[in-house]
Amino acid sequence: MHRVAVLVYNLNGREFLEHCFATLGKSTFLDHQDVLVDDGSSDGSAAFVRNRFPFVDVIEAGGVGRAAAYERAIRERTEEIVAFLPSRSWVTAGWLEPLLSALAKGPSVGMAGALILGPNGQPVHAGGKIAVTGRARDHRVAAPAGAAVVIETEFASLSGLCARRQQIVDLGGLDPSYGSELEDVDLAWRARSLGLRVLHVRSSIVHVHTAETPDSPERESMIRRNGLANLIQNASILDALGGIAVSVARDSARIAWLAVTRQGDLARGVLRGNLNALHDIPALLARRSARARLVVARPRTAPVLASVKDELGSQLSQGFPRLPARRPKEIRLKPVKLGIVGCGTTTRIMYGPILRFLRNGVFVAACDPDEGQAKWAAEQYGAKQTFTDVDAFFRDADIDAVIVGSPVWAHCDTVVQASERGKHVLCEKPMARTPQECARMIEACDRRDVVLMVAFMKRFNKCFRRVTELINDGTLGDVFQVRALWSFFTPERAWRDALRTWGGVYQDHGSHTVDLCRWWLGDIETVSGEVDIIDSHQREVEDRVVATYRHRSGAVSIHQMTRVYHKPVIEAYEILGTKAALDVEFGPGWSFLSPEPFRMTLHRGGRTAEDITPYNLPCLDDEIRRHGQYLKELEHFCECVQTGARPLTSGADGRAAIEAVNAVYASSQRRAFVTLPLEEPIDLESLFRDLKERAINRPQRS
């Protein structure tokens, strides 16, 4: 479990989410979990985050208002610390550490707030005072040179606030009746009344894209009602009476001014807020009485809220809408019981080494026709059950989901069998041999309502995610071409060289490069390619390919691979845009065997070359926890099993990659362009027999 939960509140702010979570992903404090708290957005925000940022947890609060949505998240999370951000914000890399350091000054520190800068870089919140009307008065002046980095303040904005989660719960939480205004003032007032300090931390910086919230009748109403609620619940009797008088006088003047300027809707909002406060007085006084008893029971100088009676919490819900029922915690935290079919490379190199870091799944069963392989995997990584027969595995293994790492010719039958047993599936790439086999797998999983995810782990690699960011944020301009080169030398025959695979080097590695280019450039429209068998003594399927795709965006991708490469292994991608070019390269060596990042170089104007490689953290364990591609892929799969979310790399993505690979085979055979989708199945066995015969009969140099 992470130490900090960063709760990002969102209501129809999809346009800001990309930047927000991208900057959170670069935080130098690693032990945090980002959480989208979506308040019933209608712009597809939740689905966007699930697909674009699979490592972000999503809580869909359902249109209950910011205070209630945050309160639900606070009650559901289990992290020690919670930090709050709006979706319209972005953060500097080191924003969290100063806030945590401020909290660590002692248990008397209740909360710490960041410096909030507006779009022009000027402060919009640098701590604040509570006005006589019970409303917020933000400090908006930059600190003078030499000023203290941490100062005490009356309240800190919820945007950029950091606090101990249990302490907020003990205070009674955020009041859901406050909607989306002044709930931070109410929380800070309660904390200070019980002897807790509120700190403003100038070295923690949060930027917001929009500094002001537009006036609306609803906002006018909430501000007036909640300001009066703050006075009634928290102020002394004399201060409350004086503040109410000032508030009513000012609101009367504002109503008159709005009426004169023909802003009747806003005037009615101001009036409605005052009337709502009047209506809520009995509940507000009951809550004031409960809070007063808590203050009397505990001296103002008490350093810790070790426990607070449930009385305040119960008062919070009297007379106001209740929070929606939340999912039982034991269901949310239940780890997914995983089995693996195929205990060779899939287990030894890819998934086995990261299982000790997996937070939401557990390895319980291993299956391999080689009993020694299955037992080794079980002993090495802690599985309780081993099998050599797939039928027995699916019948008797105590699993929720299965990782399919068998040879490609077995994928279709294994996935269908898993779905019939109600098991969720993470299928290694290539998904299958043909689009028809892929379609059968998809249909079987859809019929039994189980998750089908294809293991395109490169989409979870921090370097390729960085490429996606540079494309999406316009750094490269309009990308018009991607070239992928992935070649190596393998003189020995392996199972992947057998005819029954119906595909060689391009089916194997091209599945990855095609998926990346579809991710970056969009779906494929037309295909051309050439495939050959160069080493006809060892292979029955292609070991050399050059393929070209035109994508729906108009961009072109070029893929070049061979297994007859008398140079060190290389995997390289060249991404060309109208503003810049990007080289992404790994080698010599295999990227899937190494935790090291791809080398990334950004070129501009033919004159500058900038190293933008996302180098690893000093501690390898920290690097794997934060960025390990197989760990993040498996965590995402387990999250999809737990929540029913659609995987980032679905069966449809796996099928699209295989269709594009098959189209290259068809193009080479026909010596013609091929348009997608493919209209007819391709007889791949005959295609490769013909290719083998041509290779054998190829004229040899004397």
Side-chain angles (χ1 to χ4, degrees), residues 608-670:
T608 65
E610 178 185 359
D611 180 8
I612 60 169
T613 303
Y615 290 102
N616 285 355
L617 299 167
C619 174
L620 183 57
D621 281 3
D622 287 343
E623 174 65 25
I624 293 172
R625 287 191 188 95
R626 183 70 175 167
H627 299 298
Q629 59 184 354
Y630 290 109
L631 177 62
K632 293 306 176 183
E633 176 186 60
L634 195 50
E635 283 182 347
H636 176 59
F637 172 64
C638 291
E639 288 168 2
C640 292
V641 172
Q642 291 172 323
T643 66
R646 177 184 172 87
L648 175 65
T649 53
S650 66
D653 294 305
R655 183 189 183 281
I658 287 301
E659 183 177 46
V661 168
N662 278 203
V664 169
Y665 298 153
S667 173
S668 181
Q669 183 185 49
R670 300 170 190 174

Side-chain angles (χ1 to χ4, degrees), residues 491-554:
E492 303 84 7
R493 178 182 172 89
W495 65 260
R496 291 189 184 276
D497 298 316
L499 179 61
R500 67 188 302 194
T501 60
W502 295 355
V505 65
Y506 198 50
Q507 181 201 72
D508 186 13
H509 297 294
S511 292
H512 276 310
T513 62
V514 168
D515 182 67
L516 286 175
C517 288
R518 286 187 64 252
W519 192 28
W520 295 334
L521 307 178
D523 288 335
I524 296 167
E525 289 188 336
T526 59
V527 182
S528 64
E530 291 284 346
V531 300
D532 287 295
I533 299 176
I534 303 299
D535 187 352
S536 58
H537 300 290
Q538 298 286 347
R539 300 187 177 98
E540 299 175 312
V541 289
E542 92 282 353
D543 57 10
R544 194 270 294 182
V545 63
V546 178
T548 303
Y549 299 107
R550 180 167 290 279
H551 295 256
R552 196 164 294 169
S553 63

Side-chain angles (χ1 to χ4, degrees), residues 362-527:
V362 58
F363 179 37
V364 299
C367 179
D368 195 285
D370 183 332
E371 185 177 9
Q373 289 268 53
K375 286 186 175 180
W376 180 90
E379 292 170 1
Q380 185 76 9
Y381 301 117
K384 304 298 184 184
Q385 298 174 283
T386 60
F387 300 86
T388 57
D389 179 71
V390 174
D391 294 336
F393 171 79
F394 284 120
R395 183 181 65 245
D396 300 329
D398 180 24
I399 60 172
D400 303 311
V402 60
I403 300 170
V404 176
S406 52
V408 64
W409 59 74
H411 282 187
C412 183
D413 289 342
T414 305
V415 170
V416 170
Q417 190 173 2
S419 69
E420 289 172 348
R421 291 284 183 173
K423 310 304 180 186
H424 304 279
V425 180
L426 174 61
C427 181
E428 261 303 320
K429 55 76 2 224
M431 180 178 175
R433 298 177 295 181
T434 67
Q436 291 74 32
E437 287 185 344
C438 295
R440 183 182 167 213
M441 297 157 71
I442 294 169
E443 192 276 331
C445 292
D446 285 348
R447 184 172 62 249
R448 295 302 301 268
D449 194 26
V450 298
V451 172
L452 173 58
M453 176 172 161
V454 179
F456 288 129
M457 86 291 186
K458 291 188 182 295
R459 289 215 205 181
F460 298 86
N461 183 291
K462 66 179 181 181
C463 299
F464 294 115
R465 300 188 72 81
R466 180 66 178 137
V467 173
T468 306
E469 292 171 4
L470 294 172
I471 292 172
N472 291 342
D473 68 15
T475 298
L476 303 180
D478 295 328
V479 174
F480 58 87
Q481 180 176 296
V482 173
R483 184 164 61 95
L485 170 64
W486 193 350
S487 293
F488 47 96
F489 184 71
T490 52
E492 303 84 7
R493 178 182 172 89
W495 65 260
R496 291 189 184 276
D497 298 316
L499 179 61
R500 67 188 302 194
T501 60
W502 295 355
V505 65
Y506 198 50
Q507 181 201 72
D508 186 13
H509 297 294
S511 292
H512 276 310
T513 62
V514 168
D515 182 67
L516 286 175
C517 288
R518 286 187 64 252
W519 192 28
W520 295 334
L521 307 178
D523 288 335
I524 296 167
E525 289 188 336
T526 59
V527 182

Side-chain angles (χ1 to χ4, degrees), residues 59 69 140 188 218 273 326 355 360 365 383 398 455 462 519 576 604 610 638 702:
I59 295 175
R140 300 192 176 194
E218 293 75 17
R326 68 181 191 272
L355 288 171
N360 54 357
D398 180 24
K462 66 179 181 181
W519 192 28
L576 303 182
R604 288 189 174 94
E610 178 185 359
C638 291
S702 57

Side-chain angles (χ1 to χ4, degrees), residues 297-355:
R298 184 171 300 278
R300 290 177 60 85
T301 57
V304 186
L305 286 175
S307 64
V308 176
K309 302 298 183 183
D310 291 336
E311 179 180 14
L312 180 59
S314 63
Q315 291 287 352
L316 278 172
S317 61
Q318 292 182 8
F320 301 106
R322 292 186 177 275
L323 289 174
R326 68 181 191 272
R327 187 173 54 207
K329 187 176 293 184
E330 62 271 14
I331 294 177
R332 182 172 67 86
L333 297 178
K334 180 181 177 183
V336 177
K337 291 181 286 187
L338 297 165
I340 300 180
V341 174
C343 296
T345 300
T346 299
T347 306
R348 288 176 178 266
I349 295 175
M350 297 190 292
Y351 297 107
I354 57 88
L355 288 171

